[in-house]
Amino acid sequence: MGQGRRDSGIVVPEQWGELSGAPGQGAGPGRGTGSSFPPTRRSSLPPARRSSLPPAHRSSLPPARCADAPPPHVPAAGAAARFRTLGVISPFLDGSFWNPVLLGIHDSAQQRGFRTLVLRGTPFEVHAPSLAGEQVDGWIVLIELHGIEALARGRAPFITVGTRAADVACPAVIPDNHGGMRSAVRHLIEHGHRRIAFVGYFDAYDVRERFASYKDTLAEAGIAFDPDLVIRSDNNWYTGGQGAAPALLARLPGCTAAVFATDKNALGMMPPLRAAGVRIPEDLAIIGFDDIADAESADPPLTTVRQRFEMMGSAACDLLASMIAGEAFPAEGVRTANALAVRSSCGCNTVQEFLDKEDTVPEEDAAGVLARQLVELLLLPQPLPPDLPPTEVWPAVTSLIDGYFAALRGTAPPSAAELGGACRQAVDITMDVGTLLAAIRLLGQFHERRGASLDDAARRRVEAFLELVRLTITRARLEAESQYVRQLGVLARTNYDVSFALLGGTQQATRSLSWLETTTVIWGCLALWDDPQARSRLVVAGAYSRDGSPTPPIGRRCRPEAFPPAEMLPPSAEDGTHMVLLLPIRSARRDWGILVLVGPTLVAMAGDEGTVAIWGTLLGAALERDALVDSLSSQHADLQKAYEIERALSETVRELGCPLIPLLPGVLLVPLIGMIDGGRARQVLEKVSEGVSRHRASSVLLDLTGVPFVDARVADTVGMTSRASALLGARVYLVGVRPEIAMSLVGVDLGVLSTFSSLSAALRELAPAGRRARKARRGAR
């Protein structure tokens, strides 16, 4: 799709129901994986109040099925009895985009009677559509499309979320990037800005669409596009904005405003801008895109285009469900709407502007008007729909108002418990201290807005009541922070326990999944590839069940298409109540297998959406460690065996290097072959001395016929051997002395050492007959 072209897909409007979820939790496609535990409570209402909000709008579909749509998916044989399954392929599970989209898919799937099976990775990494293919009726692919061609060859329908496939035709769910960026640029133009920069990471599909809208909106306003005001960041994260700061600083003061393709780029750039002395918004007005949790708490609060990633997930589920059922669906997919959330970074002050409004307050409905104003203030910049009672959002707001009017009239105020409950609900709606305090100011100014005058006694009672409210709401805010810290402590302890169990435990404990007992996971199964290269079979290596549901037997072999075993999943997973997560376990050297986890949500399973991915990494490291330990143990055994063999060989070589041969009674033959170094020379000395003593020899024949060379040190050792043998009562004879060896022995004290030219000459001389002849010759003389 060319840049700037609007899709013909249906635009899903922003829903009031989305107000109850965490505020826009993302940074657009390529949005990084930063965790946001626990979710911001700025507009997070308790479940009891969420259920009372109007249902999410569903996109209306064309009257006839798209002509080029794939045929409805026919489940595998025997699949009719099971719940239909949506397979979600996501490269990440945590962060401000991925987790809210998954929650939106899961919630919508539950309402439609589907179950959700999430595979972490890209289509290529999870071998889609092979893995779990016999259970999945349709696929949702988030952002990363590597390997999506394999899905196109399968029979199950599929869609993409957050991006559009270039070479594969399929519907997509994409935010209204054009409309959102248009509202941001037009807002800055209305502030009088004409030199507006664009900052973004152009490798991302969404960013390219937002850039096209930026150029179109400038053209609509008659402002010439300046390529010098386009600044490319290295990624969509905080570091991308930080790295792009020098380029934007170089364009100041000629540039007076900037739009950022993602909030994280904008928030990452704000600190270096402040460090350089740039005042926001006085010197540079900025607007982001996404409305992540950090946008509201930034300094100053970031004006941004608010997305609803939960709505993207819900729209994806609705679209795919229609395709699975063979119903009509838009060929291009759908675009989810967004809205500009105006705060301070663009130069606006929404809270003060709200307080400065002069509204006419009818006497007969003063309490109702005040309740609506208080709720509208807490929800800023989100509006409160006119047809929605404020008590649907803040039920206990009436206690606060009753207390105010009681102070005016001097009657009994609400109890401390009622007032505390009202303040805690206010903190549930927004954590922003400035907005909470502004609500108290609005309460205190209400009588002035009505044009009523107060006597001194009434004024003192109102001031005392407002001070009590400030104290109570401050305590509620601190209580929320304390709860957040306690949750972090629980998360830290759980992660420590899991890490210790995985990295410090036994191989049996690692594979048995007993470490899941410290978590809230309902059910788990670990299956390892029997052949990591072929990946044709998975073998169950461990299983865990908290609720007593059956688990597959250890050693069971499964085809990837039939994994996880549907008949073994707990009932809460089969009926779609709980999410099924397939987490590939890998290490640097090996693809180990798949870990299956079942639980309500990622946060409910682990305490934080990013922790599950950490478990997978730790499990891969533990399996790698176990394999290395096994390998080292095997190598140690092999080395020990080799050492014993080498030791035996050494003894053999030692014996062969200086053999002692009892040749004749009282005569030892020591044939030496090869080079003789210092070590071998010492061996000769030791062996000869030992042999003379053991065999009670009187003569030792050192046969040097096979020795090519004797140096001075060896010659000295021969002399020592001769002298040592003499002390033991034996005489050493050298046999086979050649001229070159004789020359090396010159000057060496050889003791009483004689030589023979050959072994035969030595035998003739030392044989009994030879000895008698020698004695006879001596007697004749």
Side-chain angles (χ1 to χ4, degrees):
M1 186 183 72
Q3 292 182 359
R5 185 173 70 84
R6 299 294 301 277
D7 280 351
S8 59
I10 294 172
V11 176
V12 179
E14 187 171 14
Q15 314 151 16
W16 163 246
E18 293 301 324
L19 190 89
S20 64
Q25 300 281 310
R31 322 170 154 75
T33 59
S35 171
S36 57
F37 170 81
T40 178
R41 301 173 60 189
R42 172 169 61 88
S43 54
S44 178
L45 303 182
R49 275 179 284 158
R50 291 182 193 167
S51 61
S52 64
L53 298 179
H57 296 163
R58 303 291 182 187
S59 59
S60 57
L61 299 176
R65 191 167 69 86
C66 179
D68 58 350
H73 175 52
V74 180
R82 65 169 173 82
F83 276 72
R84 293 172 297 175
T85 300
L86 300 184
V88 184
I89 303 176
S90 174
F92 301 103
L93 303 175
D94 59 330
S96 47
F97 169 77
W98 316 98
N99 189 54
V101 169
L102 291 176
L103 288 176
I105 293 172
H106 181 59
D107 290 344
S108 183
Q110 283 183 292
Q111 296 174 13
R112 284 182 166 268
F114 281 79
R115 68 181 176 120
T116 308
L117 192 148
V118 180
L119 290 75
R120 183 177 185 266
T122 65
F124 176 80
E125 290 172 339
V126 300
H127 319 296
S130 174
L131 186 60
E134 293 181 359
Q135 302 184 42
V136 173
D137 297 280
W139 296 95
I140 299 174
V141 183
L142 304 186
I143 302 297
E144 299 293 341
L145 305 182
H146 183 208
I148 196 173
E149 298 81 7
L151 289 179
R153 293 191 294 268
R155 298 190 62 190
F158 64 99
I159 65 172
T160 62
V161 174
T163 189
R164 190 176 295 282
D167 302 322
V168 176
C170 68
V173 176
I174 301 174
D176 184 13
N177 296 308
H178 192 281
M181 183 54 67
R182 184 174 185 271
S183 64
V185 176
R186 286 179 61 87
H187 186 76
L188 291 174
I189 292 173
E190 290 168 0
H191 274 287
H193 297 285
R194 293 296 181 269
R195 299 283 294 169
I196 304 171
F198 181 92
V199 183
Y201 175 59
F202 282 77
D203 285 1
Y205 177 87
D206 278 359
V207 172
R208 295 194 297 271
E209 284 203 331
R210 293 164 192 174
F211 176 64
S213 176
Y214 159 80
K215 293 198 300 183
D216 291 346
T217 308
L218 290 178
E220 291 173 5
I223 300 174
F225 168 68
D226 185 355
D228 191 51
L229 293 180
V230 178
I231 299 171
R232 297 176 180 268
S233 61
D234 294 333
N235 54 57
N236 274 330
W237 303 340
Y238 301 100
T239 55
Q242 184 179 2
L248 184 58
L249 286 169
R251 286 149 175 84
L252 302 180
C255 172
T256 62
V259 288
F260 290 77
T262 67
D263 281 353
K264 290 185 179 180
N265 271 186
L267 296 171
M269 187 177 285
M270 290 173 72
L273 289 179
R274 284 196 299 269
V278 177
R279 298 172 300 163
I280 301 172
E282 292 83 1
D283 300 329
L284 182 72
I286 64 175
I287 296 179
F289 203 112
D290 288 330
D291 195 18
I292 66 173
D294 293 343
E296 185 183 30
S297 58
D299 182 22
L302 180 65
T303 297
T304 180
V305 178
R306 169 177 291 172
Q307 295 205 72
R308 282 291 174 262
F309 297 119
E310 297 92 340
M311 184 169 64
M312 291 180 66
S314 177
C317 177
D318 294 346
L319 175 60
L320 186 58
S322 298
M323 296 172 67
I324 292 172
E327 301 172 354
F329 64 90
E332 292 288 342
V334 298
R335 285 185 176 269
T336 54
N338 43 48
L340 187 66
V342 179
R343 299 191 180 100
S344 304
S345 66
C346 62
C348 296
N349 189 337
T350 55
V351 172
Q352 189 58 50
E353 291 170 1
F354 186 90
L355 294 176
D356 290 341
K357 287 192 305 182
E358 296 184 3
D359 298 326
T360 302
V361 181
E363 182 67 29
E364 62 276 8
D365 190 27
V369 171
L370 179 55
R372 175 164 289 275
Q373 289 179 346
L374 286 171
V375 172
E376 287 179 342
L377 177 58
L378 294 188
L379 291 178
L380 284 177
Q382 185 87 8
L384 175 66
D387 57 345
L388 188 71
T391 51
E392 292 288 346
V393 180
W394 187 1
V397 67
T398 53
S399 297
L400 196 66
I401 295 172
D402 290 345
Y404 168 73
F405 282 110
L408 284 176
R409 299 164 184 155
T411 58
S415 67
E418 292 176 313
L419 191 59
C423 291
R424 283 191 292 272
Q425 289 181 5
V427 173
D428 281 339
I429 299 172
T430 178
M431 293 279 282
D432 183 65
V433 175
T435 303
L436 293 170
L437 294 178
I440 300 174
R441 287 166 52 199
L442 176 64
L443 189 64
Q445 296 171 1
F446 190 71
H447 60 275
E448 298 176 3
R449 292 171 177 265
R450 296 172 59 202
S453 59
L454 301 181
D455 56 35
D456 291 341
R459 189 176 302 278
R460 286 194 297 270
R461 289 194 302 270
V462 168
E463 289 177 355
F465 174 74
L466 294 178
E467 187 63 27
L468 177 61
V469 174
R470 289 189 188 93
L471 178 60
T472 305
I473 210 164
T474 301
R475 287 173 176 167
R477 180 66 170 77
L478 290 175
E479 180 183 335
E481 289 292 340
S482 299
Q483 181 182 2
Y484 172 58
V485 172
R486 286 193 295 271
Q487 289 174 322
L488 288 178
V490 172
L491 176 62
R493 288 193 296 273
T494 300
N495 282 340
Y496 171 81
D497 292 340
V498 171
S499 301
F500 185 80
L502 287 175
L503 299 182
T506 63
Q507 182 176 136
Q508 180 181 2
T510 297
R511 298 194 178 202
S512 70
L513 305 185
S514 60
W515 48 272
L516 287 175
E517 293 178 357
T518 61
T519 73
T520 57
V521 171
I522 304 298
W523 189 92
C525 175
L526 173 64
L528 305 179
W529 296 110
D530 60 349
D531 182 349
Q533 299 300 323
R535 299 187 182 94
S536 59
R537 286 290 188 274
L538 285 161
V539 181
V540 175
Y544 169 81
S545 177
R546 182 181 299 274
D547 60 1
S549 300
T551 58
I554 305 302
R556 173 173 175 174
R557 300 170 68 84
C558 304
R559 293 179 298 108
E561 294 82 0
F563 186 81
E567 72 279 7
M568 291 292 182
L569 289 174
S572 60
E574 273 298 288
D575 63 15
T577 301
H578 286 165
M579 181 183 295
V580 181
L581 170 65
L582 271 61
L583 190 66
I585 304 301
R586 302 185 182 93
S587 60
R589 300 174 55 189
R590 184 173 176 179
D591 186 349
W592 289 95
I594 306 295
L595 174 65
V596 183
L597 299 175
V598 175
T601 64
L602 296 178
V603 173
M605 281 193 278
D608 173 50
E609 69 269 16
T611 298
V612 171
I614 297 175
W615 292 352
T617 301
L618 292 175
L619 180 55
L623 293 172
E624 184 76 30
R625 175 208 61 196
D626 294 340
L628 289 174
V629 170
D630 290 344
S631 176
L632 288 174
S633 298
S634 176
Q635 291 178 29
H636 177 74
D638 292 342
L639 287 173
Q640 186 67 27
K641 184 177 179 180
Y643 171 75
E644 296 297 335
I645 294 174
E646 181 183 3
R647 184 175 179 181
L649 288 174
S650 297
E651 292 296 328
T652 302
V653 170
R654 181 179 177 87
E655 294 295 331
L656 293 176
C658 185
L660 299 178
I661 304 173
L663 192 60
L664 295 170
V667 178
L668 287 178
L669 172 63
V670 183
L672 301 178
I673 300 174
M675 294 294 296
I676 300 178
D677 56 12
R680 192 174 177 199
R682 287 190 297 273
Q683 181 188 8
V684 170
L685 174 60
E686 295 172 0
K687 294 286 287 184
V688 169
S689 301
E690 178 187 347
V692 168
S693 176
R694 186 170 70 247
H695 294 282
R696 298 180 180 181
S698 59
S699 301
V700 178
L701 301 179
L702 285 180
D703 188 355
L704 303 180
T705 304
V707 178
F709 176 76
V710 176
D711 60 12
R713 183 170 54 180
V714 175
D716 186 61
T717 302
V718 171
M720 293 175 62
T721 302
S722 174
R723 294 192 295 272
S725 299
L727 292 174
L728 295 172
R731 185 172 183 178
V732 174
Y733 299 89
L734 294 182
V735 178
V737 178
R738 300 187 302 278
E740 60 272 20
I741 293 179
M743 293 179 62
S744 65
L745 297 176
V746 174
V748 178
D749 182 8
L750 298 177
V752 288
L753 187 145
S754 300
T755 64
F756 290 103
S757 60
S758 65
L759 182 58
S760 60
L763 291 175
R764 286 194 300 271
E765 183 68 22
L766 297 177
R771 291 178 181 176
R772 289 193 297 269
R774 189 168 63 248
K775 289 181 179 180
R777 285 194 300 273
R778 284 199 297 268
R781 290 196 297 267

